[in-house]
Amino acid sequence: MESPLQVAVFGAYGHTGRFVVAELLERGLRPVLAGRDTERLQELARAHPGLDVRPASTADPDSLTRALAGTAAVINCAGPFAATAAPVIEAALAARIPYADIAGEVEAVADTFAHYTEPARAAGLPVIPAMAFFGALGDLLTTAALGDWPSADEVSLAYALSSWHPTAGTRASSQVSRERRNGRRLVLTNGSLALRTDQAPTTQWVFPPPLGKQTVVAEFTTADSITLSRHIRVPHLHTYMTAAAVKDVLAPGAEPPVPIDANGRSDQTFLVEAVVRNGETERRATARGQDIYAVSAPLVVEAICRVLDGRTKTVGAAAPGEIFDAPDFLRALSSHLTVEFAPHLDHVL
């Protein structure tokens, strides 16, 4: 019997990393547990006997080389990605294996595209940043909703979270972003990122039932703003997040997510709505599910499976909707997401 392919998971013991390890095992792949904290790696290995433990640090390129040896791909789950993405991508390119991460840091995702599009293309390898809830899901929904439209006049992405309890990784990444922005907020304007000192505006968004009208923070720039700008021609891209969720995640001493089921998911629910408009015609796509961190695992693992199977459309640093067949990808996640389109698009699902 052929041995299962090995996939390195850097930051395997983190909150989302553990979901990724479990999803890889579920898919018949063999995770290689990598990361900076040897003790936490060994603790995780005790829960999954037989898996390789390979301590590695982004400050030690040789350790990353050893961690990736013999693997078919690497998934980077270790934030802040402003510090980890470049070293792990460099190691992946040197090992000639595909790379994907779950980065939600807008600047880190932009940096990956800026610095690795050409090196990855020259190596004939995919490098896929933000292959997670923020980045991948909105990108795939928008791409699928577009269908046969080559472009759109306007794209709006609206997020409704029942609550938002940040993980330690989210808090660490947010701290790095705040320091990088020096107290300012990041906004995508005319296809470019700009820093502003004014307060983010609020408005109302009418979500599908049962949510209905909600107060949302506008100009809530996410990784989707970067990924969508990579491959969709759209002059106006808007992003919104429910104000209650923003208040949750910014609260001093915000508690981490608490698992409530056998899979370790929290009770948080989410709804993401993508609206694309050309002239007077609109198309909408929505996705509903549970736990934004947990759902990042099937997103990134499905991506790696498709890369390893050769179900990709390009190489180099690429956005999810640019490299994958978006409708088919969303169909594959039907056990994790409920996706709906309005009007019904026969070419989508």
Side-chain angles (χ1 to χ4, degrees), residues 236-255:
H236 303 291
L237 175 58
H238 311 290
T239 49
Y240 307 91
M241 173 64 75
T242 43
V246 175
K247 184 178 179 181
D248 275 353
V249 77
L250 295 179
E255 294 295 323

Side-chain angles (χ1 to χ4, degrees), residues 46-321:
R46 286 192 287 273
H48 300 286
L51 296 185
D52 287 355
V53 171
R54 301 183 187 179
S57 166
T58 55
D60 180 359
D62 289 340
S63 71
L64 288 174
T65 298
R66 292 191 295 270
L68 303 191
T71 64
V74 58
I75 298 174
N76 183 6
C77 298
F81 292 90
T84 67
V88 182
I89 292 171
E90 294 283 357
L93 294 179
R96 301 199 62 77
I97 61 172
Y99 167 96
D101 68 36
I102 58 168
E105 298 158 46
V106 177
E107 296 98 331
V109 174
D111 286 347
T112 293
F113 284 124
H115 300 308
Y116 292 104
T117 295
E118 292 308 321
R121 184 177 294 138
L125 293 167
V127 165
I128 314 170
M131 196 60 232
F133 177 81
F134 288 117
L137 186 52
D139 188 291
L140 291 165
L141 282 173
T142 302
T143 305
L146 275 169
D148 54 356
W149 291 353
S151 61
D153 294 335
E154 183 179 43
V155 168
S156 297
L157 270 177
Y159 297 88
L161 308 185
S162 63
S163 62
W164 192 353
H165 296 283
T167 64
T170 294
R171 290 196 301 271
S173 294
S174 296
Q175 178 63 31
V176 168
S177 292
R178 282 195 297 272
E179 292 171 358
R180 188 169 181 172
R181 299 172 191 176
N182 194 26
R184 295 167 292 180
R185 63 187 184 89
L186 195 64
V187 177
L188 187 75
T189 304
N190 299 321
S192 299
L193 293 172
L195 290 166
R196 292 186 183 172
T197 57
D198 59 337
Q199 184 91 9
T202 59
T203 186
Q204 302 290 307
W205 185 273
V206 181
F207 289 94
L211 289 176
K213 185 182 290 187
Q214 299 282 327
T215 300
V216 293
V217 175
E219 299 179 347
F220 189 84
T221 307
T222 64
D224 315 71
S225 301
I226 303 302
T227 61
L228 286 167
S229 299
R230 287 280 304 176
H231 67 106
I232 293 176
R233 299 195 305 276
V234 55
H236 303 291
L237 175 58
H238 311 290
T239 49
Y240 307 91
M241 173 64 75
T242 43
V246 175
K247 184 178 179 181
D248 275 353
V249 77
L250 295 179
E255 294 295 323
V258 176
I260 57 119
D261 64 22
N263 296 318
R265 296 182 302 174
S266 72
D267 64 359
Q268 177 203 62
T269 57
F270 62 80
L271 187 151
V272 183
E273 183 167 41
V275 181
V276 297
R277 180 182 62 79
N278 268 324
E280 298 301 313
T281 305
E282 279 189 355
R283 292 175 175 175
R284 291 173 179 258
T286 61
R288 306 170 192 258
Q290 180 181 345
D291 195 324
I292 64 174
Y293 298 108
V295 81
S296 292
L299 280 162
V300 73
V301 172
E302 178 67 22
I304 287 298
C305 288
R306 286 171 181 256
V307 167
L308 296 177
D309 292 346
R311 288 177 288 163
T312 55
K313 297 190 287 186
T314 188
V315 294

